[in-house]
């Protein structure tokens, strides 16, 4: 479970995150929705311990990230904004590297790696060096390495950005699967249809603040719109005014 | 597995697959011994050329006694006819000695004979030869002059007001070591060159390829990540340095130093001493490179900074070559200078105080650990993600 309480974060003069609060429960998919530059990535980066908030609290399974970064990081699997890979390592070596950094049991690492390779359908590329991988193949490696340690919470920053239809569908299936395993999934997106399809709970942010939050149907009601996309636009524009 | 080991293992594997970086890392250790070999051979050839020389001579038949004396001094005389000035100007000959027709006559009348030495003062390579001819003629002068005085019942000492005698306190090995001053420089340089690729790749490269964010999300202390990277780079640096050392010494073994009266022998013990003396430098060189690598925004940026860093180890070596100074114990504590002094002393078969090894190792390791800690602090900054 991820709890965010009244989070604030500024860079120089820019207030990137203002009073953001929400909860991502276990077995639920929570969507952080907002246009580019709304503060989604900043919020996530605070949650996975690469940025420190100016004020407010961020807890992962009850562990305060600010005071126990490493303890909190053990409880999360993250697909961050940057999808960089080590071009001279194979897909399997990437998964191993991250598994070992998480001190994942060495005896079970190979089994776990094979499970992930099967889950993501990357058997054919597992032992190839990642140089020259397609966008979708790279994304699979990133996903696999972030899930190798069986994290109870998963954070995904724009997971389907730039992916083709097939890989996007693959990512959606994985999100469903994580949800069924009672994992708390928090993902950010600027794509309305994606969020409406997958999420149980939506948090809409604009210019660093929450403009609406609640179950998917509730959001629709707040904006008094049938179509979620219309609701989104209305809420975001309302936030700007 | 300890996180440091995990990072170390990954970095070594990654770097070992980077063929271009490996080539740059290990080209230097392979090239420098070749350079040593050819430079030393060239020096020896120059020296022996001056020793066993052939001198073109005009009018040798006018002074048979002088010609015979010169031949006794290991000088090979070659009869020459033609325009002496022209051949020297054309650089066909380095010098020509001209003996006048009236040599015997003036010699008999006890008058001074003018012997001309035609040479080109702008040619530095012929200087030893010219000096040698002058020295020989001066020596001949003294010998004949002394005989003439003795014949007149005068002691030759009358004309010798002062006489200089050169006492060289350097052992033969030390003189060799002076000539070998560039070997320590190569070894120290190798420490910087061999670890550079991996140090840059694992810092600036990690930022440029955007792998740093995923890496830092792992539950590992930042100093452990930096330490793993540091040790990985140090392994490469140490291998490069050891390779340079062993190959340079092997190359020296192939050079016939005995020809110029120098002795050079490096046993296994000395080899080990030199390895021990230089090993701490691998830690220092890579810690400097990691720090610069993390400062830099990109690979290219980092390489230009680190290119300048390579000049740093050359400072003490260059300084010593041009203005030698007496070694004091505290000097061993100055990183790079300390290693240079140790290497010169071991190469020169001089007794090196144990405290020297201790000082140089401690100062290197302490400084490099401080640099690693600073690098770890920089890894903790939020701005590490940007750029």
């Amino acid at each position: 479970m991820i709890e965010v309480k009244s989070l604030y974060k500024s860079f120089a003069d820019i207030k990137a995150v203002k009073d953001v609060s929400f909860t991502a429960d276990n077995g639920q998919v929570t969507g952080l929705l907002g246009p580019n530059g709304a503060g989604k990535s900043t919020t996530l980066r605070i949650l996975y311990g690469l940025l420190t908030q100016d004020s407010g609290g961020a807890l992962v399974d009850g562990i305060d990230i600010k005071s126990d970064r490493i303890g909190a990081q053990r409880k999360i699997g993250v697909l961050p904004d940057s999808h960089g890979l080590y071009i001279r390592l194979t897909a399997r070596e990437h998964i191993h590297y991250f598994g070992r950094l998480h001190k994942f049991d060495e005896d079970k690492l190979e089994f776990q790696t094979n499970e992930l390779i099967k889950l993501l359908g990357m058997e054919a590329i597992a032992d190839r060096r990642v140089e020259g991988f397609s966008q979708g193949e790279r994304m699979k490696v990133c996903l696999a390495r972030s899930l190798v340690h069986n994290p109870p919470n998963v954070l995904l920053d724009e997971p389907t950005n730039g992916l083709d239809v097939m890989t996007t569908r693959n990512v959606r299936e994985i999100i469903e699967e994580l949800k069924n395993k009672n994992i708390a999934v928090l993902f950010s997106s600027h794509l309305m249809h994606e969020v409406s399809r997958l999420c149980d709970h939506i948090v809409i942010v604009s210019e660093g603040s929450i403009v609406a939050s609640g179950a998917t149907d509730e959001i629709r009601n707040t904006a008094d719109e049938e179509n979620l996309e219309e609701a989104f636009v209305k809420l975001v524009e309302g936030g700007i005014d | 597995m300890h996180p440091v080991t995990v990072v170390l293992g990954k970095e070594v594997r990654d770097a070992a697959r980077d063929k271009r970086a490996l080539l740059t890392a290990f080209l230097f250790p392979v090239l420098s011994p070749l350079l040593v070999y050819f430079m030393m051979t060239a020096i020896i050839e120059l020296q022996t050329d001056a020793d066993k020389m052939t001198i073109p001579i005009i009018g040798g038949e006018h002074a048979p006694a002088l010609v015979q004396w010169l031949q006794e001094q290991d000088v090979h005389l070659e009869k020459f006819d033609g325009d002496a000035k022209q051949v020297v100007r054309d650089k066909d000959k380095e010098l020509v000695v001209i003996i006048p027709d009236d040599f015997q006559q003036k010699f008999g009348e006890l008058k001074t004979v003018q012997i001309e030495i035609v040479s080109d003062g702008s040619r530095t390579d012929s200087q030893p030869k010219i000096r040698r001819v002058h020295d020989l003629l001066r020596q001949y002068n003294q010998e004949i002059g002394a005989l003439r005085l003795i014949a007149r019942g005068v002691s030759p000492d009358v004309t010798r007001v002062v006489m200089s005698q050169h006492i060289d306190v350097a052992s033969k090995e030390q003189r060799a070591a002076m000539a070998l001053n560039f070997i320590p420089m190569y070894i120290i340089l190798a420490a910087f060159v061999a670890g550079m690729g991996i140090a840059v790749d694992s810092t600036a490269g990690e930022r440029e390829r955007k792998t740093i964010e995923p890496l830092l999300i792992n539950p590992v202390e930042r100093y452990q990540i930096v330490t793993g990277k540091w040790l990985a780079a140090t392994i490469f640096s140490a291998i490069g340095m050891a390779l340079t050392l062993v190959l340079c010494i092997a190359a020296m073994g192939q050079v016939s130093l005995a020809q110029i009266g120098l002795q050079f022998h490096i046993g296994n013990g000395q080899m080990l001493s030199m390895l021990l003396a230089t090993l701490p430098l691998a830690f220092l060189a890579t810690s400097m490179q990691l720090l610069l690598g993390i400062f830099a925004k990109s690979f290219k940026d980092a390489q230009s900074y680190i290119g300048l860093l390579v000049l740093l180890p050359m400072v003490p070596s260059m300084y010593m070559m041009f203005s030698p100074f007496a070694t004091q114990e505290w000097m061993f504590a100055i990183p790079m200078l300390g290693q240079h002094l140790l290497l010169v002393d071991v190469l020169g078969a001089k007794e090196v105080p144990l405290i020297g090894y201790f000082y140089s190792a401690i100062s290197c390791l302490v400084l490099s650990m401080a640099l690693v800690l600073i690098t770890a602090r920089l890894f903790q900054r939020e701005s590490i993600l940007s750029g």
Side-chain angles (χ1 to χ4, degrees), chain B residues 89-106:
Chain B
R89 213 175 283 130
D90 292 346
K91 314 216 184 305
D92 287 340
K93 303 275 180 207
E94 288 172 80
L95 78 165
V96 176
V97 174
I98 304 173
I99 293 176
D101 301 346
D102 55 357
F103 185 93
Q104 285 296 37
Q105 188 197 337
K106 283 197 171 165

Side-chain angles (χ1 to χ4, degrees), chain B residues 7 43 99 142 147 174 191 199-200 260 278 310 312 320 325 337:
Chain B
V7 175
I43 289 175
I99 293 176
Q142 274 177 9
L147 287 174
Q174 251 179 308
V200 175
I260 51 167
T278 46
V310 168
L312 195 65
M320 276 197 66
F325 47 81
L337 177 64

